[in-house]
Amino acid sequence: MSDTQTVARYKVHFMPDDVAVTVNRGDNLLSIALAAGVHINASCGGNGLCKTCKVKLSSGDVDGGGQEKLSAEEYDQGIRLACQSLILSDLIVIIPPESRLDKAVQADERKKSAGLAASAWRFNPPIKKYYLDLPPATLKDNANDLFRLMWGLKQSYDLHDIPINFDVIRKLPFALREKDWKVTVTTTVISSRPHTKTKITPKIINVEPGDTRDRLYALAIDVGTTTVCAQLLDLNRGKVTAETITFNKQISYGADVITRIAYSQKPGGLKKLQQVVVDSINIVIDELLKQSGVDRHDICQITVAGNPTMQHLLLGLDPKYIRLAPYTPNANFVPSVKAADLGIKLGEQVYVFTFPSISSYVGGDIVSGVISCGMHQTKKLTLYIDIGTNGEIVIGNADWMATASCSAGPAFEGGGIKHGMIAVKGAIEDFAFDPLTMEPHIKTIAGVPPRGICGSGLINTVAELLEYGLLAQNGKFNTSVFSPRIREGEDGFEYILAHAPETQIGRDIVITEVDIDNLIRAKAAMYAGCHTLSHSVSIDIADFEQVILAGNFGNSLNIERAITIGLLPDIPRERFAFIGNGSLSGARLVNFSNDMLNAARKVAQMMTNIELSENNDFNNNYVAALFLPHTDGRLFPSVMEKLSSSKNNSRSK
Ligand code: FES
């Protein structure tokens, strides 16, 4: 008998992807799926906590599978948690719709606010092309090629002694001769240096044979924790040529930045996270090129905005100290790097500009959002809120700005919610009662049968249940009010949003008291963050002249309902504006204008970060906000009035 035992090999077949792989006995099912390119939702990063990685075994057997986290019915049906399953045989594995990460992202995050946008910027892209028709070299004039190029730039465009990338010198002789000494030179001034009065001189990043001035494109990309949104920009015409959105594939390694940072500390973890976000970027680039017919070689620049962890991971910078006190990022201003060096499939000449950040948890996406809505140009006292897994808040105006971040948890993006999902096709995004029948009307993104509920759906549902008295202010169902849709489930009382036959998942879609608790905690963190930051600079929340909301909420962030649950302050509704994805808008504007690039560098320097994580006031404000809308009803007078009149109405019925 041999000393070495052969490890048994099995075949795992993933459906409906129809992907088959051969694996070793004992391999982890989630890891195998990810390695095979089958992306499963895994919000807790594979730690067995979130139950988002459910798969169904059509045949075969696994060890573990998270039985203790599943209902007996689910377990009997072959449902297993992929992250807790070790492969013991050949398998056929079905990925159910609610666990899938598909490309059907339809959230219309690009809608613009009613007229809220930065003004006073010139169309003056930081990247430019110059056409030169140079005299050919002769025996009488045999100056070197670089000298000839510089001479041409000086003669034709008054550009003197500009630096040039070494790669360009290497290709210069061939470019000059290919089209009879006619070339196009590309320059850029894009830089993430802190703002100073010194003008940044352009540098030459490319030289192409012939006249290519009519082909000048750039990419604006928002790298979010959950999604990657991108626009292809025509810099000659100042317009968006194509736009798209896909999942950030890092979602399979954890739903929030803390889980991702933890994953990055595992062997090979940082490399993996960098690789998968680059994959997501390559996917959006392919899609943009397909939509527009633009040639890959004509993209000259990428501008990326993301939170500090996303920017670190994209650049391959170790985010370890972001989550360790005293919470220091690697760098707030990072020099531009070559896209090709990161694995982005674009020409050698393309640089990636990442927005400057403020602190460990307030990043380039916030700087980008602030400049896009013109907060840096207004005298109005402004509250800017980016609602997401990590909530960021900025207060101030053109003269000063203070910022803070708070961890809201993933509830606004559907994480930690029994049937939660991000704002994509099939997500319940709106909910309303028919006052006569008390039957709910639900609206899903793209109007298809529901497969889960997203953040806006949750807010709308909880607000409506509260107003109609089915939910008490402590977030518990009011079982004294009869509703055939309230029942006791495995996690306590729950409300049936859609019955099994009406859904894509073949099971009832419900909202549970645990879900509502998670939402209350998320909204309490956001509200407490706003309250604490405002008070730290002696401003009352009612003093804000405008409140700008950003975030990926699909189409239906309903301000009134967000106030009803106590997420937003109870101030006159006309002061609110929702700008959708401010981060993407800012990234676009920086491609269009040097003025906006300078604004980004300036705003990043002027913001003062206030740390809330160890702030007692924040903790007190947070606890006080763990109620619908708040333990202090005086802060929400219009909501309290509405709730008391709906109580009176139901009494009089
Ligand atoms: S439970 Fe499996 S990834 Fe969270």
Side-chain angles (χ1 to χ4, degrees):
M1 209 173 129
S2 149
D3 288 349
T4 49
Q5 286 189 332
T6 318
V7 180
R9 304 273 285 164
Y10 298 121
K11 196 163 175 193
V12 178
H13 200 141
F14 292 101
M15 297 299 285
D17 302 71
D18 197 18
V19 170
V21 283
T22 304
V23 303
N24 289 331
R25 181 183 176 87
D27 278 349
N28 177 283
L29 185 55
L30 178 65
S31 307
I32 291 300
L34 296 179
V38 176
H39 283 271
I40 297 176
N41 205 343
S43 300
C44 70
N47 288 319
L49 303 172
C50 66
K51 300 195 279 185
T52 56
C53 64
K54 286 178 190 171
V55 296
K56 184 171 180 175
L57 298 186
S58 170
S59 70
D61 199 10
V62 295
D63 186 23
Q67 184 172 7
E68 61 295 347
K69 309 261 177 197
L70 300 166
S71 69
E73 192 191 351
E74 283 177 317
Y75 196 80
D76 290 346
Q77 286 170 355
I79 304 287
R80 300 289 183 271
L81 297 183
C83 72
Q84 302 299 303
S85 300
L86 304 180
I87 297 163
L88 293 184
S89 70
D90 287 345
L91 297 177
I92 298 180
V93 181
I94 297 169
I95 318 293
E98 66 270 30
S99 303
R100 295 183 63 76
L101 294 183
D102 60 27
K103 269 192 69 198
V105 183
Q106 298 295 332
D108 181 17
E109 47 68 41
R110 292 164 291 278
K111 70 183 174 158
K112 299 290 172 292
S113 65
L116 252 190
S119 57
W121 56 271
R122 291 159 298 161
F123 182 73
N124 180 22
I127 196 148
K128 292 195 173 18
K129 280 189 170 183
Y130 298 96
Y131 172 66
L132 294 174
D133 186 353
L134 295 167
T138 62
L139 281 175
K140 282 198 178 143
D141 172 14
N142 62 354
N144 65 73
D145 290 343
L146 181 57
F147 177 88
R148 191 173 305 276
L149 188 85
M150 293 301 181
W151 175 86
L153 286 169
K154 192 166 145 192
Q155 293 299 312
S156 304
Y157 299 103
D158 201 25
L159 291 172
H160 298 255
D161 300 327
I162 39 182
I164 182 165
N165 275 1
F166 179 65
D167 304 347
V168 184
I169 296 178
R170 204 180 258 143
K171 69 200 252 192
L172 180 61
F174 310 99
L176 285 173
R177 287 160 183 86
E178 189 176 325
K179 288 271 166 81
D180 198 22
W181 302 89
K182 295 175 181 56
V183 286
T184 303
V185 175
T186 309
T187 66
T188 185
V189 289
I190 203 142
S191 157
S192 177
R193 288 196 339 229
H195 188 259
T196 58
K197 290 227 156 48
T198 326
K199 233 175 120 191
I200 298 177
T201 46
K203 74 173 171 187
I204 297 173
I205 56 166
N206 200 19
V207 59
E208 298 165 285
D211 185 356
T212 67
R213 283 174 298 177
D214 63 330
R215 305 195 303 270
L216 183 60
Y217 295 90
L219 294 168
I221 303 183
D222 163 52
V223 177
T225 312
T226 307
T227 52
V228 173
C229 313
Q231 293 179 334
L232 176 64
L233 309 172
D234 181 338
L235 298 186
N236 281 320
R237 291 158 196 88
K239 64 172 197 171
V240 178
T241 302
E243 52 188 317
T244 191
I245 175 170
T246 191
F247 283 98
N248 181 344
K249 286 188 176 183
Q250 287 179 348
I251 205 170
S252 295
Y253 302 87
D256 54 52
V257 294
I258 297 297
T259 328
R260 305 257 175 101
I261 295 172
Y263 188 87
S264 75
Q265 300 308 300
K266 295 181 180 175
L270 176 57
K271 192 157 177 241
K272 179 46 107 181
L273 292 176
Q274 200 259 350
Q275 203 178 6
V276 295
V277 72
V278 167
D279 276 358
S280 305
I281 289 176
N282 283 327
I283 287 170
V284 293
I285 293 174
D286 286 348
E287 175 60 27
L288 293 171
L289 297 178
K290 198 167 116 198
Q291 278 181 33
S292 61
V294 167
D295 191 297
R296 188 177 293 276
H297 298 105
D298 293 327
I299 295 178
C300 302
Q301 174 176 285
I302 306 180
T303 302
V304 170
N307 65 51
T309 303
M310 289 306 106
Q311 292 195 175
H312 273 62
L313 293 175
L314 170 63
L315 298 172
L317 299 174
D318 194 329
K320 180 174 180 178
Y321 296 102
I322 284 182
R323 76 163 185 157
L324 299 178
Y327 316 112
T328 47
N330 198 313
N332 283 343
F333 290 81
V334 179
S336 297
V337 292
K338 284 198 167 186
D341 290 347
L342 299 178
I344 297 173
K345 292 180 187 149
L346 290 175
E348 274 293 321
Q349 77 285 2
V350 180
Y351 279 86
V352 178
F353 165 80
T354 45
F355 267 75
S357 298
I358 316 300
S359 66
S360 267
Y361 294 102
V362 181
D365 51 346
I366 300 308
V367 173
S368 184
V370 161
I371 63 162
S372 81
C373 68
M375 182 172 169
H376 65 296
Q377 296 167 326
T378 183
K379 288 282 176 195
K380 283 187 183 175
L381 184 58
T382 302
L383 170 63
Y384 178 96
I385 311 175
D386 190 310
I387 303 170
T389 306
N390 199 47
E392 291 99 350
I393 302 144
V394 185
I395 58 177
N397 58 20
D399 300 326
W400 64 276
M401 287 185 203
T403 182
S405 74
C406 54
S407 176
F412 293 124
E413 292 174 6
I417 303 297
K418 182 161 188 163
H419 287 114
M421 61 184 288
I422 56 175
V424 298
K425 193 172 169 182
I428 297 172
E429 61 168 352
D430 203 0
F431 175 101
F433 277 118
D434 180 324
L436 289 178
T437 63
M438 285 299 282
E439 269 299 282
H441 290 302
I442 57 168
K443 182 172 163 257
T444 62
I445 295 178
V448 298
R451 57 182 253 219
I453 183 166
C454 65
S456 57
L458 270 173
I459 292 168
N460 293 336
T461 304
V462 170
E464 195 81 349
L465 290 170
L466 182 68
E467 266 189 61
Y468 277 81
L470 271 71
L471 197 65
Q473 285 180 260
N474 63 0
K476 303 294 172 212
F477 285 108
N478 188 353
T479 47
S480 64
V481 175
F482 172 74
S483 166
R485 286 182 178 254
I486 296 179
R487 69 181 180 197
E488 198 157 2
E490 56 180 6
D491 299 323
F493 284 101
E494 60 191 26
Y495 181 88
I496 305 167
L497 293 162
H499 290 288
E502 305 153 15
T503 72
Q504 281 190 53
I505 61 173
R507 280 177 288 125
D508 293 346
I509 293 179
V510 300
I511 178 170
T512 69
E513 285 183 348
V514 176
D515 297 341
I516 295 167
D517 269 358
N518 284 336
L519 180 67
I520 291 176
R521 276 200 288 272
K523 73 92 191 171
M526 289 299 321
Y527 185 80
C530 294
H531 203 81
T532 313
L533 181 61
S534 314
H535 278 229
S536 70
V537 288
S538 307
I539 288 173
D540 191 279
I541 236 165
D543 295 338
F544 287 109
E545 295 164 273
Q546 58 175 2
V547 180
I548 298 169
L549 304 165
N552 273 328
F553 266 98
N555 292 324
S556 297
L557 177 64
N558 183 312
I559 303 287
E560 190 60 46
R561 283 160 161 180
I563 294 171
T564 301
I565 68 161
L567 166 61
L568 299 177
D570 191 355
I571 58 177
R573 304 337 184 218
E574 65 277 9
R575 294 189 200 169
F576 289 92
F578 178 52
I579 60 164
N581 190 338
S583 168
L584 184 65
S585 305
R588 179 178 63 248
L589 292 176
V590 160
N591 277 302
F592 284 159
S593 172
N594 254 326
D595 301 334
M596 296 305 281
L597 171 63
N598 288 331
R601 294 161 57 218
K602 205 166 166 181
V603 162
Q605 269 177 298
M606 76 187 273
M607 278 194 206
T608 304
N609 183 61
I610 294 179
E611 197 56 61
L612 294 184
S613 59
E614 279 150 32
N615 180 312
N616 280 340
D617 284 347
F618 174 76
N619 292 336
N620 294 338
N621 288 329
Y622 170 71
V623 173
L626 290 171
F627 208 61
L628 295 169
H630 196 278
T631 49
D632 184 354
R634 290 169 304 174
L635 293 170
F636 288 85
S638 79
V639 179
M640 297 313 290
E641 197 181 311
K642 191 164 55 179
L643 294 184
S644 85
S645 70
S646 73
K647 255 184 217 152
N648 291 339
N649 284 346
S650 55
R651 262 190 224 115
S652 60
K653 272 178 195 161

